[in-house]
Amino acid sequence: ALRILSAEAVEQARSGHPGMPMGAAGMAYVLWTRFLRHDPRDPRWPDRDRFVLSAGHGSMLLYSLLHLSGYDLTLEEIRRFRQWGSLTPGHPEYGRTPGVETTTGPLGQGFANAVGMAMAERFLAGRFNRPGRAIVDHRTYVLAGDGDLMEGVTHEAASLAGHLRLGRLIVLYDDNRITIEGPTSLAWSDDTPARFAALGWQVQSATGEEPQGLTAAIESALADEARPSLIAVRTHIGQGSPNRQDSAKAHGEPLGEEELRLTKQALGWPLAPAFHIPEEAREVFRAAAARGADRRREWLASLEAYAREFPELKAEWDRWQSGEPPCGWREDLAAMEIPAEPTATRVASGLAIQRLARRMPNLVGGSADLGPSNNSVIAGQGSFTPGAVEGPNIHFGVREHAMAAAVNGLALHGGLRPYCATFLVFSDYMRPSLRLAALMGVPSLFLFTHDSIGVGEDGPTHQPVEHLAALRAIPGLTVIRPADARETVEAWQTALERGGPVALVLTRQKVPALARGLDRATTGEAAGAPAGARGGAPAGAVPPVARGAYILAEEPAPADGPPELILIGTGSETSLCLEAQRRLAALGIRARAVSMPSWELFDEQDEAYRHRVLPPAVSARLAVEAAVPMGWERYVGQEGAILAMGRFGASAPAEALFARFGFTVEHILELALALLKRPLPIGSGPGR
Amino acid sequence: ALRILSAEAVEQARSGHPGMPMGAAGMAYVLWTRFLRHDPRDPRWPDRDRFVLSAGHGSMLLYSLLHLSGYDLTLEEIRRFRQWGSLTPGHPEYGRTPGVETTTGPLGQGFANAVGMAMAERFLAGRFNRPGRAIVDHRTYVLAGDGDLMEGVTHEAASLAGHLRLGRLIVLYDDNRITIEGPTSLAWSDDTPARFAALGWQVQSATGEEPQGLTAAIESALADEARPSLIAVRTHIGQGSPNRQDSAKAHGEPLGEEELRLTKQALGWPLAPAFHIPEEAREVFRAAAARGADRRREWLASLEAYAREFPELKAEWDRWQSGEPPCGWREDLAAMEIPAEPTATRVASGLAIQRLARRMPNLVGGSADLGPSNNSVIAGQGSFTPGAVEGPNIHFGVREHAMAAAVNGLALHGGLRPYCATFLVFSDYMRPSLRLAALMGVPSLFLFTHDSIGVGEDGPTHQPVEHLAALRAIPGLTVIRPADARETVEAWQTALERGGPVALVLTRQKVPALARGLDRATTGEAAGAPAGARGGAPAGAVPPVARGAYILAEEPAPADGPPELILIGTGSETSLCLEAQRRLAALGIRARAVSMPSWELFDEQDEAYRHRVLPPAVSARLAVEAAVPMGWERYVGQEGAILAMGRFGASAPAEALFARFGFTVEHILELALALLKRPLPIGSGPGR
């Protein structure tokens, strides 16, 4: 039934991947009818087993399983496979189809998500389970193909899983020995069992057509809680198709009408009607689902008992499960002491983490071996290690890609607020996972420090220039580059309030605390609020950072008419704009300094606000950002100017680089006066 | 000498990584004085051994080795470590410092570059060596750290190297057991020897302080030509520093004045003067260099004999080494038959590859298991496989990241014109290597097919939307998105003429052949040249694509005054603009259709040309591209409009998606008329 349903849907769509569902149907059958603990009537049951189809091109296998198991996925939707608006897109999409735990397709991502899910399970179990009351007690299953196993992100994730001894992670490897270009042996000679054994995994083998052998292997995997498990299941791509089985053609093409007919014959299936599902197939899955429903009822009863025995823990459990930060967190953040002296925004972010962690014990995260540099460590709390899985500090190792994918998995699992950190330049290593976080809309939080030529001596390999643009290009990712410590704290508040993924972009070097001379109407704050006083905006108010851009200063104060010139800065360049604005005021020029930590947030504001901050009448605009200029035209217009990095950086002390590349108050003044077509005042030297 | 020189340079710079050079000095000494075959007086000697410092943060070790060996790198430059304009940047930079084979620092990249270099050596050896005349006969050595080994790209590269049996690749693993966050055991439990053995590697171990053991291990690695070799060398980070050795602090901080003094004492080194190098240290390296020079002289003599015995092969060798395409290639490409019927640009690219490969036997490349989809296979020629390394078709496996890094290595090695291919959406997996190609300016060629929602049913996981912007953001990378078969052929020509890396962005779906109604002055071509006739521009002429943008059509023909409106398209959207231009002409509106395959190329044109194509007087401009709009403001200005994808795509047939997202002639007309503030003509429906 799984084979034919999958092949028929692909045929109907005239597009898709029949080979994998047909080859892996046997193992999926064993897993879903004998082991997977889930209740199709509550796809969000917190203690369900997770099933991740890492080989996402085999989506029809998953849709067939979901349909047969009784999820809210009708046969009509399966007939609409790969059509506009259907619940059955070409690759599984989280949030679209009930029972789909993560969006997969880009290879290796699902595998690495699953490592994050398995980490979440262990973390939550460590925090909440009590003797006799294991309210967190589930497994994470993965179905992966050879393409998944070849990807580097899978290696990283497998190495991390082995290190962390994630014994509840069980990967079924669909060993069909066929890739798109031909037999896997064309490009791949790994000794896969030995490879995974070397990473600390339990490794077994089985065949797809022997339910007993596979059953025994899964049982053995379940019994070994000290090691993640890989079960290499020998399968045959396109199994049942007389002329396509074991061929690369089976991978990504419909069988064709005639071959589908021959396949039905070969499998002893009625030739008509199409999309036929025999009652006995439904019965097997229904029985499995009924067992899952029983388990969920037992779990609910156990949770009730747990609530009686451990009412405080149960309240905490509910808070974590809600996905919301705890009451009072905004007030607490707002009460935070903000350094008045020059402070790197990565340091300010570290302070915010400490503050937040006091109230948010489900804030978990770590770095790809740059914790001390990223200021991402929660002080005074333990590490998530093989022996003590309740520590919130995760050591991801030098594995940026798996880190990001695992954080997505931690977020997808539910119950936690995960973050991860590395240098901004290494966001490149994580992009496929950043993209999927955005596509799924999960609240993964990415801290990127060392955000410009401010990196200094490490040179162009470590100095991001194109990364801000590249991150801003991802739909659904909110990028925030705060200008000082206070903006950093507000950025954290904003990040925690967003539904989707957020990237905080932070300096290595110190930046001054900026005095805000902004008007009350813009921000809900009193004008002239002193820097260095307290944290975020008053609880209840929208902090200026959440608006994406705001008027930082203007002298004389904003009048009815617009200013002559607008200087727009982000991050470490904002203070240069502020100082230039002051110098212009001294020359009698009314300039406005705008701090613009986030394009995405600003673009979401209503037109009145946007025009208030950037009045259309003012065409003399200068944006200042130590990154490629791409996209700034949108905000400065055709008559504006952009002071940016049009090239890679260089190795030298940061101060030298800022001067050499023209990021100085003098150069800003020069460009500003040129925009206004005014001469340089006597005594002003050239900006570079 | 290596230890102290490195530590002193870091101390002088007050920035850098002393620990790795101090720990790895012993193994570097053994390799460079006993094995490495190189001649410092000719750093580009084609048959030199390659040495790649994958752990690029240990740059001072490499600079010390280069200085002592007699490369053109003075002590003065070493004193200027990490300063503006010095030859000793924070991480090794290819093209800046003689003897630096590749730019490293982002971990794993050097390792994977080296795999490409080792592939190049085998390919060239297979093509050129003759019995008794092994003119290609060198090794590739890598010094890698634990960070390199943890990165996924290294796994992919190691797996590929094992598969291809690159027996001349020898990796010394600096096993110092310390990472930035602490001991490697914090995050890493791999059984590294077993892991590499599982990938088909010879694995040995040694210690950094026992030259005999390491010598024997390298000899054994050299003797095993069937397998790449990993030698795990137990070292001590910061060795010799009494208080920093074996500590994470040794990694990335100067020792400090006092500790440097203590280190000198501990190592029995004179406390003064600074940067002291004893003559006996110089002598050892000088002797090794002299042996290398002898080897080069022998090689030159052998090459002379080879030239006499195999004059045609020698001529071919010279052509390959020159880095230039062979004579007549432009004419040959220009004579190519271009399909007149609708053709996917990926298919046109495949045709161009076939044509070019006839004359360019050093064109080598392949795909990350998408060859049939990327149309990247050279027909009728063999594969680069373990048994037959002369085939130009490389099966990279599902390893996009290592593929890109290996292509950089193939390009860095010299003698070859390498390319690689995958879907555009998976360019994300390769970004760290794309960036390094751009930073180094090497002519790696990247083919990215399936370039938009034209992917169709596979859905948003496989539909790039932000990738064009993200690629354009990389300084030094030329991105070309041709509109039809002819532009594709011209794009290939342009790519081969560029010095640096190029990304060709190609459609999955068919696009019509565009009739060019362009004026002679713009392009050197006669107006109204029929489509489907011949290939690129006449030899000698600059093809329109090389200009980045050109006037595709205008009706009535361009007069002295500017048109009323400009429609700008790229790739598959260009034909929509052309059709809209025709429809506007029928309404009596003089519109110009501009084809703009490349921003970078257009931005390089002189102002006269740019203003000719996009006259500043015309503010009614509409850009059409099925990708995020970011950056288009630069070309359409504040009063222009952008028809783009502001969101992720969806799973449905491609035609449905183009219609749903508004990429239709009707919608373009609607937007164009709105720009001109003219009413829609009667009978025109809405565009979506």
Side-chain angles (χ1 to χ4, degrees):
Chain A
L2 294 169
R3 284 187 180 111
I4 296 294
L5 189 54
S6 299
E8 284 196 309
V10 170
E11 198 61 32
Q12 169 113 347
R14 291 189 202 160
S15 158
H17 301 78
M20 184 281 199
M22 296 173 77
M27 66 165 117
Y29 169 83
V30 170
L31 178 62
W32 279 59
T33 61
R34 298 188 183 176
F35 293 98
L36 196 71
R37 201 171 80 157
H38 63 134
D39 182 353
R41 281 171 304 179
D42 183 3
R44 307 302 301 159
W45 171 29
D47 201 36
R48 72 194 179 278
D49 287 345
R50 268 57 170 184
F51 174 78
V52 172
L53 184 76
S54 192
H57 55 275
S59 56
M60 258 320 301
L61 176 61
L62 180 53
Y63 301 144
S64 298
L65 291 163
L66 292 171
H67 173 72
L68 286 169
S69 298
Y71 282 82
D72 188 10
L73 187 69
T74 64
L75 202 55
E76 189 46 44
E77 289 293 338
I78 288 184
R79 285 174 180 269
R80 297 186 59 233
F81 181 51
R82 295 183 154 237
Q83 303 309 304
W84 177 267
S86 79
L87 298 187
T88 50
H91 291 80
E93 293 179 22
Y94 173 77
R96 173 171 288 271
T97 317
V100 170
E101 299 282 3
T102 180
T103 297
T104 52
L107 293 172
Q109 298 296 322
F111 188 112
N113 294 158
V115 170
M117 292 175 186
M119 288 169 71
E121 195 269 352
R122 284 294 81 195
F123 184 86
L124 293 167
R127 286 294 178 103
F128 289 101
N129 287 356
R130 290 294 177 269
R133 292 276 169 247
I135 61 168
V136 183
D137 182 25
H138 54 273
R139 268 80 182 177
T140 305
Y141 293 98
V142 179
L143 204 167
D146 42 71
D148 286 303
L149 296 203
M150 280 191 246
E151 291 285 1
V153 63
T154 300
H155 166 74
E156 295 178 6
S159 171
L160 182 62
H163 169 73
L164 292 175
R165 297 187 208 142
L166 300 176
R168 289 169 165 242
L169 174 67
I170 298 173
V171 177
L172 304 185
Y173 160 40
D174 176 27
D175 181 15
N176 63 33
R177 307 193 189 171
I178 294 291
T179 67
I180 291 172
E181 294 188 357
T184 50
S185 59
L186 262 184
W188 201 36
S189 306
D190 293 2
D191 178 344
T192 297
R195 173 191 163 199
F196 276 80
L199 304 181
W201 287 55
Q202 183 202 45
V203 181
Q204 303 175 81
S205 60
T207 74
E209 288 318 285
E210 261 192 282
Q212 292 328 317
L214 181 55
T215 299
I218 297 176
E219 278 166 356
S220 169
L222 290 169
D224 186 345
E225 293 231 344
R227 293 179 296 172
S229 282
L230 181 86
I231 305 173
V233 188
R234 177 65 173 114
T235 59
H236 296 274
I237 194 168
Q239 188 176 342
S241 161
N243 301 301
R244 290 282 175 95
Q245 180 176 319
D246 291 316
S247 80
K249 253 182 129 57
H251 168 79
E253 285 177 37
L255 295 181
E257 208 175 306
E258 173 61 10
E259 184 67 15
L260 178 57
R261 201 180 59 75
L262 294 174
T263 302
K264 286 183 179 176
Q265 273 177 344
L267 292 175
W269 204 258
L271 298 184
F275 294 94
H276 167 67
I277 298 171
E279 192 51 34
E280 64 192 289
R282 291 200 182 280
E283 192 45 55
V284 178
F285 282 92
R286 211 176 277 143
R291 287 194 301 276
D294 289 344
R295 299 293 294 273
R296 185 170 70 90
R297 270 189 296 274
E298 289 162 23
W299 180 83
L300 285 169
S302 176
L303 191 67
E304 274 180 38
Y306 182 88
R308 286 189 299 273
E309 291 169 56
F310 312 104
E312 285 179 24
L313 270 177
K314 173 59 165 54
E316 185 76 2
W317 166 266
D318 290 339
R319 269 197 298 278
W320 290 30
Q321 290 295 318
S322 75
E324 297 297 319
C327 292
W329 72 280
R330 279 188 200 80
E331 291 75 4
D332 195 51
L333 204 60
M336 182 179 156
E337 195 82 27
I338 304 275
E341 67 281 7
T343 303
T345 57
R346 64 173 166 141
V347 171
S349 169
L351 296 174
I353 290 174
Q354 308 318 321
R355 189 81 180 192
L356 287 163
R358 300 191 319 187
R359 282 184 176 253
M360 293 180 63
N362 64 339
L363 188 70
V364 301
S367 165
D369 194 40
L370 290 169
S373 295
N374 300 139
N375 298 74
S376 55
V377 181
I378 301 174
Q381 297 215 34
S383 292
F384 184 92
T385 60
V389 287
E390 318 91 40
N393 288 305
I394 304 171
H395 299 280
F396 285 105
V398 187
R399 305 181 182 102
E400 296 84 5
H401 199 169
M403 171 173 75
V407 160
N408 288 349
L410 285 158
L412 286 160
H413 182 280
L416 301 173
R417 280 305 306 230
Y419 66 90
C420 65
T422 185
F423 290 164
L424 177 58
V425 80
F426 300 140
S427 62
D428 276 353
Y429 278 78
M430 306 158 51
R431 268 185 87 82
S433 304
L434 293 173
R435 177 172 216 261
L436 284 167
L439 183 55
M440 292 190 277
V442 291
S444 301
L445 181 50
F446 303 100
L447 307 182
F448 295 126
T449 71
H450 295 61
D451 71 351
S452 74
I453 49 171
V455 166
E457 291 91 342
D458 273 348
T461 57
H462 284 58
Q463 290 162 1
V465 293
E466 73 274 31
H467 301 78
L468 271 168
L471 293 176
R472 287 169 180 153
I474 301 175
L477 178 67
T478 303
V479 182
I480 312 181
R481 186 176 186 236
D484 68 357
R486 189 184 341 185
E487 279 198 9
T488 306
V489 175
E490 292 177 358
W492 262 98
Q493 178 185 337
T494 306
L496 292 176
E497 287 172 339
R498 296 289 280 182
V502 175
L504 297 189
V505 176
L506 305 166
T507 68
R508 172 200 189 206
Q509 75 277 20
K510 290 179 181 176
V511 289
L514 306 180
R516 284 179 180 169
L518 35 73
D519 57 323
R520 195 186 189 88
T522 307
T523 64
E525 266 191 77
R534 61 200 159 59
V542 176
V545 166
R547 298 277 205 158
Y550 64 97
I551 303 170
L552 184 60
E554 190 168 327
E555 286 173 85
D560 287 339
E564 293 180 66
L565 172 88
I566 304 176
L567 301 171
I568 312 171
T570 85
S572 46
E573 288 71 71
T574 311
S575 69
L576 301 178
C577 292
L578 186 59
E579 179 56 25
Q581 173 266 326
R582 284 188 196 126
R583 301 265 290 269
L584 288 165
L587 296 172
I589 295 170
R590 183 147 72 88
R592 171 178 293 184
V594 166
S595 176
M596 191 167 192
S598 173
W599 291 7
E600 297 81 13
L601 294 169
F602 184 65
D603 290 350
E604 285 176 13
Q605 304 306 308
D606 60 30
E607 189 179 81
Y609 182 81
R610 284 184 284 114
H611 284 183
R612 201 181 143 72
V613 176
L614 300 178
V618 185
S619 64
R621 301 179 184 187
L622 174 64
V624 184
E625 186 172 70
V628 296
M630 189 172 166
W632 272 110
E633 294 88 353
R634 178 174 169 82
Y635 302 103
V636 302
Q638 218 145 12
E639 284 155 65
I642 308 164
L643 172 54
M645 285 290 296
R647 50 159 283 183
F648 289 112
S651 174
E655 307 73 40
L657 295 173
F658 278 103
R660 291 270 179 182
F661 291 117
F663 294 93
T664 61
V665 174
E666 290 70 28
H667 191 212
I668 294 172
L669 279 177
E670 193 182 320
L671 295 170
L673 292 167
L675 276 175
L676 295 172
K677 297 187 174 50
R678 299 214 198 173
L680 275 180
I682 292 162
S684 290
R688 307 185 185 225
Chain B
L2 294 169
R3 283 187 182 113
I4 295 294
L5 189 53
S6 299
E8 283 196 312
V10 170
E11 197 61 32
Q12 170 113 347
R14 291 189 203 160
S15 156
H17 302 78
M20 185 281 199
M22 296 174 78
M27 67 164 117
Y29 169 82
V30 170
L31 178 63
W32 278 60
T33 63
R34 299 188 183 177
F35 292 98
L36 195 71
R37 203 171 80 157
H38 64 132
D39 181 354
R41 280 172 305 179
D42 184 4
R44 307 302 300 159
W45 171 28
D47 201 35
R48 70 192 181 280
D49 287 346
R50 268 56 170 183
F51 174 78
V52 172
L53 183 76
S54 192
H57 56 275
S59 56
M60 258 320 301
L61 176 61
L62 180 54
Y63 300 146
S64 298
L65 291 163
L66 292 171
H67 173 71
L68 285 170
S69 299
Y71 282 82
D72 188 10
L73 188 67
T74 63
L75 201 55
E76 189 45 44
E77 289 294 337
I78 288 184
R79 284 173 181 271
R80 297 185 60 231
F81 181 51
R82 297 184 153 234
Q83 303 309 303
W84 178 266
S86 79
L87 297 186
T88 49
H91 291 80
E93 292 180 23
Y94 173 76
R96 172 172 288 271
T97 316
V100 170
E101 300 282 3
T102 180
T103 298
T104 53
L107 292 173
Q109 298 296 322
F111 188 111
N113 293 159
V115 170
M117 293 175 186
M119 289 169 70
E121 196 270 350
R122 283 296 80 194
F123 184 86
L124 293 168
R127 286 293 177 104
F128 288 102
N129 287 356
R130 290 296 176 270
R133 293 275 169 247
I135 62 168
V136 182
D137 183 25
H138 55 271
R139 268 80 181 177
T140 305
Y141 293 98
V142 179
L143 204 167
D146 43 71
D148 287 304
L149 296 202
M150 280 190 244
E151 290 285 1
V153 63
T154 299
H155 167 76
E156 294 179 6
S159 172
L160 183 61
H163 170 72
L164 292 174
R165 299 188 208 141
L166 300 177
R168 289 170 163 241
L169 174 67
I170 298 173
V171 177
L172 304 186
Y173 159 40
D174 176 26
D175 182 14
N176 65 32
R177 307 192 189 170
I178 294 293
T179 67
I180 291 172
E181 293 189 359
T184 49
S185 60
L186 261 184
W188 202 36
S189 307
D190 293 3
D191 178 343
T192 298
R195 172 190 163 201
F196 275 80
L199 304 181
W201 288 55
Q202 184 202 42
V203 181
Q204 303 175 79
S205 60
T207 73
E209 288 318 285
E210 261 194 280
Q212 293 327 318
L214 181 55
T215 300
I218 297 177
E219 278 165 357
S220 170
L222 290 168
D224 186 344
E225 292 231 344
R227 292 179 295 171
S229 282
L230 181 86
I231 305 174
V233 188
R234 176 64 172 115
T235 59
H236 296 275
I237 193 168
Q239 188 177 341
S241 160
N243 300 302
R244 290 283 176 95
Q245 180 175 320
D246 291 316
S247 80
K249 252 181 131 57
H251 169 79
E253 284 178 37
L255 295 182
E257 210 175 307
E258 173 60 11
E259 184 68 14
L260 179 55
R261 201 179 59 76
L262 294 174
T263 304
K264 287 183 180 178
Q265 272 178 345
L267 292 175
W269 204 258
L271 297 184
F275 294 96
H276 167 67
I277 298 171
E279 192 51 34
E280 63 191 290
R282 291 201 182 277
E283 192 45 54
V284 178
F285 281 93
R286 213 176 276 144
R291 287 195 300 277
D294 290 345
R295 299 292 292 274
R296 186 170 69 92
R297 271 190 296 275
E298 290 163 23
W299 181 83
L300 285 169
S302 177
L303 191 67
E304 275 180 36
Y306 183 88
R308 287 189 298 273
E309 291 170 56
F310 312 104
E312 286 180 22
L313 269 177
K314 173 58 166 52
E316 185 77 4
W317 166 265
D318 290 339
R319 270 197 299 277
W320 291 29
Q321 290 296 318
S322 75
E324 298 297 318
C327 291
W329 73 279
R330 279 187 198 80
E331 292 75 4
D332 195 54
L333 204 60
M336 181 179 156
E337 196 83 27
I338 305 274
E341 68 279 9
T343 304
T345 57
R346 65 174 164 140
V347 171
S349 169
L351 296 173
I353 289 174
Q354 308 317 321
R355 189 80 179 193
L356 287 163
R358 299 190 321 183
R359 284 184 175 253
M360 293 182 61
N362 64 339
L363 188 71
V364 301
S367 165
D369 194 41
L370 290 169
S373 295
N374 299 140
N375 298 75
S376 55
V377 181
I378 300 174
Q381 298 216 34
S383 291
F384 184 94
T385 59
V389 287
E390 318 91 39
N393 288 304
I394 304 171
H395 299 281
F396 284 105
V398 187
R399 304 180 182 104
E400 296 84 6
H401 198 170
M403 172 173 75
V407 160
N408 289 348
L410 286 158
L412 286 161
H413 182 279
L416 301 173
R417 282 303 308 229
Y419 66 91
C420 65
T422 186
F423 290 163
L424 178 58
V425 80
F426 299 141
S427 61
D428 275 353
Y429 278 77
M430 306 158 53
R431 268 184 87 81
S433 304
L434 294 172
R435 175 172 217 262
L436 284 168
L439 183 55
M440 293 191 277
V442 291
S444 301
L445 181 50
F446 303 99
L447 306 181
F448 295 125
T449 71
H450 295 61
D451 71 351
S452 74
I453 49 171
V455 165
E457 291 90 341
D458 273 347
T461 57
H462 284 57
Q463 291 162 0
V465 293
E466 74 274 31
H467 300 77
L468 271 168
L471 293 176
R472 288 170 179 152
I474 301 176
L477 178 67
T478 304
V479 182
I480 312 181
R481 186 176 188 236
D484 67 357
R486 193 189 333 189
E487 280 198 7
T488 306
V489 175
E490 292 178 356
W492 262 98
Q493 179 186 336
T494 307
L496 291 176
E497 287 171 338
R498 294 290 281 183
V502 175
L504 297 188
V505 177
L506 305 165
T507 67
R508 172 200 190 205
Q509 74 278 19
K510 290 179 180 176
V511 289
L514 305 180
R516 283 178 181 170
L518 34 76
D519 59 322
R520 196 187 186 87
T522 307
T523 64
E525 266 192 78
R534 60 203 160 58
V542 176
V545 165
R547 299 279 204 156
Y550 64 96
I551 303 169
L552 184 60
E554 189 167 327
E555 285 173 89
D560 288 337
E564 294 179 66
L565 172 89
I566 305 175
L567 301 170
I568 312 172
T570 86
S572 47
E573 288 71 71
T574 311
S575 69
L576 302 177
C577 291
L578 186 60
E579 179 58 24
Q581 173 267 327
R582 285 189 196 123
R583 301 264 291 270
L584 288 166
L587 295 173
I589 294 170
R590 183 149 72 88
R592 170 178 294 182
V594 167
S595 176
M596 191 168 192
S598 174
W599 290 8
E600 297 82 13
L601 294 169
F602 184 65
D603 291 348
E604 285 175 13
Q605 305 305 308
D606 60 30
E607 188 179 80
Y609 182 81
R610 284 183 283 115
H611 284 182
R612 202 182 143 72
V613 176
L614 300 179
V618 185
S619 63
R621 302 179 183 188
L622 174 63
V624 184
E625 186 173 70
V628 295
M630 188 172 164
W632 272 109
E633 294 87 354
R634 176 174 172 82
Y635 302 104
V636 301
Q638 217 145 15
E639 283 153 67
I642 308 164
L643 173 53
M645 285 290 295
R647 50 158 282 183
F648 290 112
S651 174
E655 308 73 43
L657 294 174
F658 278 104
R660 290 271 178 181
F661 292 118
F663 295 94
T664 62
V665 174
E666 290 70 27
H667 191 212
I668 292 172
L669 279 177
E670 192 182 320
L671 294 171
L673 292 167
L675 275 176
L676 295 171
K677 299 189 172 49
R678 301 214 199 173
L680 275 179
I682 292 160
S684 291
R688 307 185 184 224

